[in-house]
Amino acid sequence: MNRLCDSMEPKVMDDDMLKLAVGEQGPQEEAGQLAKQEGILFKDVLSLQLDFRNILRIDNLWQFENLRKLQLDNNIIEKIEGLENLTHLVWLDLSFNNIETIEGLDTLVNLEDLSLFNNRISKIDSLDALIKLQVLSLGNNQIDNMMNIVYLRRFKCLRTLSLSGNPISEAEDYKMFICAYLPDLVYLDFRRIDDHTKELAEAKHQYSIDELKHRENLMQVRLQDERARQEELEKHKTAFVEHLNGSFLFDSMYAEDSEGNKLSYLPGVSELLEAYKDKFVIICVNIFEYGLKQQEKRKIELDTFSECVHEAIQENQEQGKCKIAQFEEKHLSSLSAIQEESELPNIEKMILECSADVSELFNELMMLEMQLVEQLEETINMFERNIVDMVGLFIENVQSLMAQCRDLENHHHEKLLEISISTLEKIVKGDLDEDLPDDLRALFVDKDTIVNAVGASHDIHLLKIDNREDELVTRINSWCTRLVDKIHKDEIMRNRKRVKEINQYIDHMQSELDNLEYSDILD
């Protein structure tokens, strides 16, 4: 294992170290000298070698966003960190360090080759994001549990594994166990696994493998079901009607309603509550189904709008390309004619004509852009009116249905209050035949207490209904506002970009004309 070098102080990965490393690894000839003078952008670096530098902590690598290969071996690094932005990394060498835990690799989804050879690692985990992993080197560590091998079964691309020098490599069944549990492995500890060994391993561990596969299949089914549920939930959230396709809202009304739960034990309330719930859930389901239909209509409206915008831009671009092609054909012909002309007055006249053609092209392209801006502005305004109307109608109808939920709650409240008052009268007269739970009977000390309890329950229910309605209305209005704002902003950015492109092209063409040297032409 690595130890802190007595002769060297731990180093910090600062800009100076990184610039030096980049410079050392770049071209050393004329191109390299030029690069050093002008400076090398870290984001353009694809490979970085930082071995044997006594680095204690990984830091300051966030600018290397396009890095493919990183070499950090033979340092004194204790923790894997600071790699979050290196999402394009394919090859990572952290061998010969002092790392004890595998961590900090969650964003390296493109990593194919990982070396953690000669560290202090005792457990293989936290590699789940590395779905493309092909080569894993973990030799000379402290891994002593064969169950670590089972964890590696999830990496379907893994073909090369090194674990020699770990306590588990001393186990009698080491090679057979790995070959059985990782059947797609090609190389183990730098040696190719032959087919005969694979067959023997499979036969030896067949029962355990079959049992494991069964558990994995069950787990896969559960994961797929959970994924399907999450996708369905996201679809419902997009329609702003999540959890309205059942009794969720009704149940939430009673989840924090201690008084209501007590009152449900009153004679006759159970039947009343059941009828109330059935009717309430029907309204919620109506909101849910209506929400999904309206979401589909909004999607169609948005898709139609996007298609119209795309077609308009495409048509406009084609017209622009045609005008540029016609101009360039004439322009090249004019330049050839200028080259062949020997009389200076004629040359000046022809250059002026070319300049006029450039100006004319500018006017035509800008006119096309202005036409497109007007066309898209009309399309955007029409879409905005349509989507705002659709959202407004959706809110209006949802609020109407939510009002029905409140009506049901008010009706239930009245009935519950009647039953409560009637029960109180029976208790006072001693005519109540049913036994009530102690916490419920405690509410019937007088009329004010029971009325307050029923009222508190009612207030909680109305608040839940109001909050769900407010949440839905707020979210869909925010969505609509953000969508329309983004569309307007995107169009402004598109227009600015197009005008800039036109100006740059025209400036380039005009600059070519301005730079024509009469003496060169005449020569």
Side-chain angles (χ1 to χ4, degrees), residues 30 66 69 115 141 220 223 257 268 279 284 295 354-355 383 410 421 424-425 479 512:
E30 185 178 345
N66 292 306
K69 182 177 180 179
S115 179
N141 277 281
Q220 186 64 26
L223 288 174
D257 179 15
K279 293 175 183 177
C284 288
Q295 165 59 17
C354 284
S355 183
F383 170 77
N410 290 331
I421 298 297
L424 178 61
E425 291 172 353
W479 170 83
E512 278 191 345

Side-chain angles (χ1 to χ4, degrees), residues 408-472:
L408 283 176
E409 169 57 32
N410 290 331
H411 177 73
H412 176 74
H413 169 65
E414 292 170 3
K415 292 293 184 183
L416 181 60
L417 189 58
E418 288 177 12
I419 292 173
S420 299
I421 298 297
S422 174
T423 303
L424 178 61
E425 291 172 353
K426 290 180 180 179
I427 291 174
V428 172
K429 295 177 182 178
D431 294 339
L432 186 66
D433 297 329
E434 295 86 350
D435 289 331
L436 300 180
D438 292 341
D439 56 350
L440 175 57
R441 184 172 286 274
L443 298 176
F444 288 90
V445 292
D446 55 42
K447 185 174 181 180
D448 287 346
T449 304
I450 191 61
V451 169
N452 289 338
V454 175
S457 174
H458 181 52
D459 290 343
I460 290 173
H461 298 174
L462 289 178
L463 183 62
K464 288 288 185 180
I465 297 170
D466 291 346
N467 286 347
R468 185 62 182 93
E469 179 184 324
D470 291 344
E471 180 197 359
L472 186 151

Side-chain angles (χ1 to χ4, degrees), residues 142-158:
Q142 298 171 7
I143 301 165
D144 58 5
N145 190 333
M146 294 293 277
M147 287 301 103
N148 284 281
I149 306 302
V150 178
Y151 171 77
L152 295 176
R153 285 175 60 83
R154 69 193 64 200
F155 302 101
K156 305 303 179 185
C157 298
L158 187 64

Side-chain angles (χ1 to χ4, degrees), residues 3 23 36 44 54 78 96 147 172 197 204 308 322 351 359-360 397 409 411 431 436 440 446 448 451 478:
R3 289 181 293 275
K36 287 181 181 178
D44 296 329
N54 231 43
E78 296 178 348
F96 295 95
M147 287 301 103
E172 183 180 348
T197 301
K204 183 175 182 180
C308 288
C322 287
I351 289 177
S359 297
E360 183 181 353
N397 288 330
E409 169 57 32
H411 177 73
D431 294 339
L436 300 180
L440 175 57
D446 55 42
D448 287 346
V451 169
S478 297

Side-chain angles (χ1 to χ4, degrees), residues 19 22-23 31-42 44-45:
K19 287 176 182 176
V22 170
Q33 296 302 319
L34 184 62
K36 287 181 181 178
Q37 291 172 12
E38 296 182 354
I40 301 172
L41 295 175
F42 287 169
D44 296 329
V45 176

Side-chain angles (χ1 to χ4, degrees), residues 171-180 188 192-194 197 201:
E172 183 180 348
D173 199 33
Y174 165 71
K175 185 174 183 180
M176 287 293 180
F177 188 91
I178 292 177
C179 292
L188 175 61
R192 188 177 182 88
I193 304 170
D194 60 78
T197 301

Side-chain angles (χ1 to χ4, degrees), residues 13 17-28 40-51 53 61 63-73 86 88-93:
M13 286 177 64
M17 177 188 287
L18 295 173
K19 287 176 182 176
L20 180 63
V22 170
E24 288 175 349
Q25 292 156 218
Q28 301 301 315
I40 301 172
L41 295 175
F42 287 169
K43 71 180 182 64
D44 296 329
V45 176
L46 300 181
S47 178
L48 185 61
Q49 188 173 338
L50 292 166
D51 56 335
R53 294 175 191 262
L61 291 175
Q63 296 179 76
F64 292 84
E65 56 191 60
N66 292 306
L67 199 66
R68 301 291 192 276
K69 182 177 180 179
L70 177 60
Q71 198 168 333
L72 284 165
D73 60 284
L86 310 186
H88 294 97
L89 206 62
V90 175
W91 192 93
L92 175 61
D93 189 352

Side-chain angles (χ1 to χ4, degrees), residues 294-309:
Q294 289 300 302
Q295 165 59 17
E296 187 60 30
K297 288 182 180 179
R298 291 194 295 271
K299 183 178 181 301
I300 292 171
E301 182 71 23
L302 181 56
D303 289 346
T304 303
F305 164 75
S306 300
E307 188 177 343
C308 288
V309 169

